[in-house]
């Protein structure tokens, strides 16, 4: 192709200088004491992604979600009234975990231990020999956790005083609602566990500096011409959240089959009106641990759940609107899922190497260049919350 | 032996036993378990037939595919996996396989929900 390519316009360092330029302390990326503060100051006080509306299509549909940072098992249920709620998966009699299945559909939930039985709205419906307790049923409902939805994405918040989700998402709520995920009716998913801190893991996916070294084959289309690192076209910030616009390579280096495969899904996306959504090149990162990509051929979310200071779980979901319309669309969905999984696989090992290096304590600080601004912004947002929390509670850092 | 695939796709009959798999996770596992020669042979035979296979299957709902057609579709899904190994990863496929196997596919839009 000999079309004159528009030049890549680098983002000036001055644009992100307000985030600071100092080295960043290394201990927050491995220290268990810091992690404990993060758990309380960040994860127990933020809206955390737990699922998608399409997982709960009917009354009684439920999913169970294990959130290690809260030591919680959550039961997320669509009630008979159509409302989706989150409860602790804990029987109010003597604490037994109620549901063992990962997902399903039930009209009520009976505890296997003594058969206390709860409705889809969490109310205690019946309990054998209940008269022998000095209790009223209305005081025995399942403990509820705040749940809210934006763009068909479900978030929970363990802080009873939390600001409403839409307020928390700020200006980015509207963007989320305009993304493919907000129209999705199904998704494909893969998950991984990694021996690395959640920030170190997440940071890998918010900088492009590594692309040409770690993804020379699989990520070839994202780099090239006058942007050999595949740096973003723009970045933006909104409170603790951030965004970047993925650079459009004017002449991506695609292999023949890859090019052929990528085209197979286009007609269906066009019919569905999904090709020209406003945020098709955008990456939206919601504090603390999820980002969402708007690319129509590969719209996905990636959430990194912390398990310990040096262990995390990643959940990647690729979202689709409508059942596979035909063989071509279905094939394109398979190729798209495999392609992104290949790329993510290449990152995992490198992130763990980073964790092992940091845990040696050999370096006191790490460094972010200005095109790693999103990583710095995450650190700043976490740091601010941890320090405020420590000041309020008198805990030492 | 009677045909397992729609007519016109006889060249792919030898690959049905290995590559006509029902779920994305099974196809991914076979990509990792197969030899470079197996992948190369399947890619060489199947890639030139992608357009004609999808054209033969398009125009109706996935649930309405006959068993022979469904097998052809399952082969095309596996081709998606194998194409990444042969065309993109090339010599790096062997070292990338164990890393990729750490990403567990837990559900997929293309998983066959009823037995064909
Ligand atoms: S602990 Fe659930 S019924 Fe007793
Ligand atoms: Fe990467």
């Amino acid at each position: 192709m000999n079309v004159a390519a528009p030049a890549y316009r680098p983002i000036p360092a001055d644009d992100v200088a307000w985030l600071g330029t100092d080295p960043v302390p290394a201990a927050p990326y491995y220290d268990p004491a810091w992690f404990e503060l993060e758990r309380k100051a960040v994860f127990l006080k933020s809206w955390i992604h737990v699922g998608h509306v399409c997982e709960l299509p009917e009354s009684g549909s439920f999913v169970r979600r294990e959130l290690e940072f809260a030591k919680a098992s959550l039961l997320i249920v669509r009630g008979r009234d159509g409302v989706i709620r989150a409860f602790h998966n804990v029987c109010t009699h003597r604490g037994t975990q109620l549901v063992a299945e990962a997902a399903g559909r039930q009209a009520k939930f009976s505890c296997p231990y003594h058969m206390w039985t709860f409705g889809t709205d969490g109310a205690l419906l019946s309990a054998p020999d209940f008269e022998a307790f000095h209790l009223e049923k209305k005081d025995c409902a399942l403990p509820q956790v705040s749940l809210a939805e934006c763009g068909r994405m479900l978030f929970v918040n363990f802080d009873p005083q939390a600001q409403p989700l839409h307020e928390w998402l700020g200006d980015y709520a509207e963007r989320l609602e305009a993304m493919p995920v907000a129209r999705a009716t199904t998704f494909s998913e893969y998950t991984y566990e990694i021996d690395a801190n959640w920030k170190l893991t997440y940071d890998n996916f918010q900088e492009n500096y590594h692309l040409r070294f770690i993804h020379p084959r699989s990520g070839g289309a994202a780099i090239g011409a006058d942007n050999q690192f595949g740096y973003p076209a723009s970045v933006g910030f909104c409170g603790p959240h951030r965004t970047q616009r993925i650079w459009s390579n004017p002449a991506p280096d695609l292999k023949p089959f890859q090019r052929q495969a990528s085209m197979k899904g286009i007609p269906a996306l066009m019919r569905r009106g999904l090709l020209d959504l406003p945020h098709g090149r955008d990456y939206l990162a919601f504090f603390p641990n999820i980002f969402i990509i708007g690319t129509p051929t590969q719209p996905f979310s990636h959430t990194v759940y912390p398990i310990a200071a040096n262990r995390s779980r990643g959940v990647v979901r690729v979202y689709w609107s409508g059942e596979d319309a035909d063989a071509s669309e279905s094939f394109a969905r398979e190729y798209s899922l495999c392609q992104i999984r290949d790329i993510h696989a290449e990152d995992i090992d490198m992130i763990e190497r980073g964790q092992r290096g940091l845990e040696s304590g050999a370096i006191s600080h790490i460094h972010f260049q200005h095109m790693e601004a999103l990583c710095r912004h995450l650190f700043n947002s976490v740091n601010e919350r941890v320090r405020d929390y420590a000041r309020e509670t008198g805990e030492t850092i | 032996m009677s045909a397992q695939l729609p007519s016109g796709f006889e060249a792919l009959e030898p690959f049905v036993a290995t590559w006509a798999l029902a779920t994305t996770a099974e196809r991914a596992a076979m990509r990792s378990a197969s030899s470079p020669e197996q992948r190369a042979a399947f890619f060489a035979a199947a890639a030139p037939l992608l357009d004609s296979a999808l054209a033969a299957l398009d125009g109706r709902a996935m649930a309405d595919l006959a068993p022979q057609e469904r097998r052809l579709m399952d082969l095309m899904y596996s081709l998606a996996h194998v194409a990444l190994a042969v065309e993109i990863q090339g010599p790096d496929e062997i070292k990338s396989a164990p890393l990729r196997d750490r990403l567990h596919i837990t559900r997929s839009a293309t998983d066959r929900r009823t037995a064909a």
Side-chain angles (χ1 to χ4, degrees), chain A residues 204-205 207 210-211 214-215 343-344 346-347:
Chain A
N204 175 81
F205 305 106
E207 54 91 352
H210 74 274
L211 296 187
I214 301 303
H215 312 296
I343 296 173
H344 283 150
E346 292 166 349
D347 293 306

Side-chain angles (χ1 to χ4, degrees), chain A residues 253-275:
Chain A
D253 176 20
L254 297 175
K255 298 277 185 287
F257 187 90
Q258 184 183 22
R259 187 179 296 277
Q260 197 184 348
S262 324
M263 295 309 292
K264 293 296 179 197
I266 301 294
L269 287 170
M270 206 134 51
R271 284 198 302 274
R272 295 180 189 280
L274 289 168
L275 262 194

Side-chain angles (χ1 to χ4, degrees), chain A residues 100-146:
Chain A
E101 295 75 21
R105 187 178 179 214
Q106 289 177 200
K108 48 197 179 187
F109 299 91
S110 291
C111 178
Y113 207 169
H114 315 94
M115 290 312 278
W116 281 33
T117 297
F118 302 86
T120 55
D121 60 353
L124 178 63
L125 300 177
S126 64
D129 214 5
F130 191 68
E131 309 71 46
F133 292 93
H134 306 278
L135 282 172
E136 288 193 58
K137 283 198 185 131
K138 67 172 176 50
D139 299 322
C140 299
L142 295 175
Q144 204 166 339
V145 176
S146 305

Side-chain angles (χ1 to χ4, degrees), chain A residues 350-381:
Chain A
M350 200 52 55
I351 299 167
E352 289 181 335
R353 282 172 73 153
Q355 189 70 29
R356 290 196 295 274
L358 288 172
E359 286 197 29
S360 73
I363 57 172
S364 61
H365 288 78
I366 60 172
H367 305 283
F368 293 130
Q369 59 128 324
H370 86 269
M371 278 294 86
E372 294 172 293
L374 273 59
C375 306
R376 185 183 289 279
H377 180 255
L378 172 63
F379 173 75
N380 289 357
S381 305

Side-chain angles (χ1 to χ4, degrees), chain A residues 188 334 337-338 341, chain B residues 21-30 77 81 105 107-112:
Chain A
S188 304
E334 188 84 349
L337 177 72
C338 295
R341 179 168 170 264
Chain B
L21 300 166
T23 68
T24 301
E26 287 169 25
R27 295 167 205 135
M30 184 52 72
Y77 292 138
H81 294 249
I105 298 167
R107 66 180 261 177
S108 169
T110 64
D111 287 350
R112 191 196 300 156

Side-chain angles (χ1 to χ4, degrees), chain B residues 17-37:
Chain B
T18 305
W19 296 107
L21 300 166
T23 68
T24 301
E26 287 169 25
R27 295 167 205 135
M30 184 52 72
R31 170 182 170 188
S32 292
S34 58
S35 67
E37 295 73 26

